Amino acid sequence: MPTDQLVADGRVSRVDRGMCDVLTAQGTLRAQWSSEIVHAGRVDPVALPSVGDEVLLKTQGDQIWLAQVLPRRNAVTRASVSPGSSHHQVLAANIDVLAICEPCHPAPAAGRIERLLALAWESASHPAVLLTKADLDPDIAGTLDLVRRLALGASVIAVSIPDGTGLAEVRGLTNTGQALALLGPSGAGKSTIFNALLGAEAMPTSHVRDDGKGRHTTAHRELVQLDDGSFIIDTPGLRSIGLASTDGLDQAFADIVELTSDCRFNDCAHETEPGCAVLDAIERGVVPPRRLDSYRKLLREAAYQQRRGDARLQAEERARWKSFSRQLKQQSGRNRP
Ligand SMILES: Nc1nc2c(ncn2[C@@H]2O[C@H](COP(=O)(O)OP(=O)(O)OP(=O)(O)O)[C@@H](O)[C@H]2O)c(=O)[nH]1
Ligand SMILES: [Mg+2]
Ligand SMILES: [Zn+2]
């Protein structure tokens, strides 16, 4: 009898330090990370299992081990928040729809939506904007119109849990086997939507503070499978989220990018140049000046993060080369007569 055998494949539903819950055909199994996984995570934390990952499990005696993380179709990744590290953090893996939750009340934050849209495009998941607490917005049609103009190419849905508005549309965003992740600030109503879709109070929710801020009620990421076979992921409220690369910005700001091809100068910075199509659109009220500022700010920030990431990759490459040449030297020393 082999002591080491494959038991199941499945999808990671929750990650704790060194352990994962995995949804499998045999139900939810709790698995410990194998030493290979721990080692890979030391080299690059991005390799560690994340909610949404498809994984292989093995048993050894009574213990279930997470043996392998299968290649990801995509990952929602944010730039490291700690200044000392240039490693990125995977928020969720294999995500088909990234549902950006933004409360209508008191007012949606345009800059935050734009930032998360860039994150969604960068991860190659389809972006949706869920305008939550629509029941508290006296002009929901106006809010929808405003957000649709800055969320080009994304599904924008008004959601209200007390009257069930928008829930069917949210359900319609994914098919069997596809995954939708809820992302947004604390208090936006992510867990309330998660519970409503699931039809159970699986995640605790809590009132927002008097200043309108959430209480960071959800502390871990959690994936569940709905009756229709799709997966949904609840996440803790985002405090800050850095873009790891500039890759999603062209799509998030497709209107501005398209205008730039009409600028008189190829290297137009859209600041004071004559014949600038972007400035002209702002003058005509087609593009709000806030949106150009937002694009510039995110571009600067993401370019910086990308450079940090590239510098880390180069340093790792150099370290690998050094260790390889050292090995060669040792070997040729040993082979000497
Ligand atoms: N009026 C109204 N209130 C809502 C709606 N959805 C959520 N809320 C309320 O908003 C508050 C925050 O909801 P949560 O679901 O806990 O928010 P969250 O985004 O999960 O917050 P964190 O877990 O802290 O990130 C709760 O008091 C909810 O009852 C809605 O559609 N309408
Ligand atoms: Mg929550
Ligand atoms: Zn220009």
Side-chain angles (χ1 to χ4, degrees):
M1 259 283 278
T3 52
D4 185 358
Q5 57 178 320
L6 189 68
V7 279
D9 59 346
R11 204 146 179 170
V12 174
S13 63
R14 177 178 175 149
V15 179
D16 298 300
R17 252 200 117 57
M19 305 281 278
C20 287
D21 283 351
V22 181
L23 299 192
T24 72
Q26 304 159 44
T28 303
L29 300 176
R30 190 146 177 85
Q32 203 169 326
W33 300 353
S34 68
S35 54
E36 287 88 348
I37 298 277
V38 173
H39 178 73
R42 267 198 212 113
V43 177
D44 187 355
V46 163
L48 286 175
S50 192
V51 166
D53 263 325
E54 281 154 10
V55 295
L56 298 181
L57 303 178
K58 280 185 179 174
T59 49
Q60 208 168 38
D62 291 340
Q63 183 60 50
I64 302 174
W65 294 95
L66 196 156
Q68 199 187 337
V69 177
L70 297 177
R72 291 172 178 146
R73 280 183 287 115
N74 69 12
V76 179
T77 309
R78 75 154 152 203
S80 143
V81 272
S82 63
S85 161
S86 57
H87 284 291
H88 300 324
Q89 185 195 12
V90 177
L91 296 176
N94 304 316
I95 300 305
D96 298 282
V97 178
L98 192 71
I100 298 162
C101 300
E102 181 64 31
C104 294
H105 182 79
R112 184 160 55 204
I113 297 175
E114 286 166 338
R115 177 182 288 271
L116 291 179
L117 282 169
L119 187 82
W121 289 119
E122 176 197 277
S123 72
S125 48
H126 178 75
V129 181
L130 310 189
L131 291 170
T132 64
K133 311 188 189 186
D135 51 293
L136 301 179
D137 187 345
D139 179 24
I140 186 63
T143 305
L144 270 170
D145 185 48
L146 193 94
V147 172
R148 284 202 172 114
R149 273 188 276 143
L150 62 88
L152 309 162
S155 319
V156 182
I157 302 170
V159 179
S160 163
I161 301 305
D163 54 31
T165 302
L167 276 179
E169 272 179 90
V170 176
R171 264 194 214 102
L173 291 171
T174 45
N175 296 317
T176 303
Q178 292 191 320
L180 174 147
L182 298 158
L183 218 64
S186 176
K190 300 178 295 297
S191 301
T192 308
I193 294 174
F194 182 91
N195 291 342
L197 291 172
L198 188 63
E201 298 296 308
M203 297 299 275
T205 62
S206 130
H207 291 289
V208 295
R209 303 183 327 207
D210 289 343
D211 61 5
K213 297 235 166 74
R215 295 169 187 275
H216 290 278
T217 309
T218 306
H220 69 276
R221 300 178 204 121
E222 178 98 29
L223 170 145
V224 290
Q225 190 162 28
L226 302 183
D227 290 344
D228 66 2
S230 65
F231 297 95
I232 166 165
I233 297 168
D234 190 13
T235 65
L238 294 169
R239 285 170 215 268
S240 67
I241 185 145
L243 296 178
S245 82
T246 54
D247 293 352
L249 287 168
D250 278 6
Q251 270 161 299
F253 293 92
D255 51 343
I256 295 181
V257 172
E258 200 173 306
L259 283 166
T260 58
S261 60
D262 292 333
C263 292
R264 188 180 305 162
F265 303 112
N266 279 343
D267 59 349
C268 185
H270 328 297
E271 272 160 10
T272 52
E273 290 87 342
C276 171
V278 178
L279 294 179
D280 181 54
I282 287 177
E283 192 110 313
R284 286 184 290 118
V286 181
V287 172
R290 184 208 57 75
R291 188 159 162 82
L292 179 61
D293 290 345
S294 177
Y295 179 44
R296 278 217 181 93
K297 180 172 167 246
L298 291 174
L299 204 54
R300 245 195 331 264
E301 182 193 305
Y304 168 71
Q305 287 295 350
Q306 198 162 327
R307 277 198 306 277
R308 280 178 84 198
D310 292 348
R312 175 176 60 80
L313 285 181
Q314 279 170 14
E316 281 173 6
E317 194 58 37
R318 267 196 305 274
R320 256 199 298 276
W321 177 248
K322 260 191 192 162
S323 129
F324 176 62
S325 355
R326 209 177 307 126
Q327 275 174 5
L328 271 185
K329 259 190 206 153
Q330 282 168 356
Q331 262 172 11
S332 63
R334 259 186 251 125
N335 292 344
R336 229 173 275 149

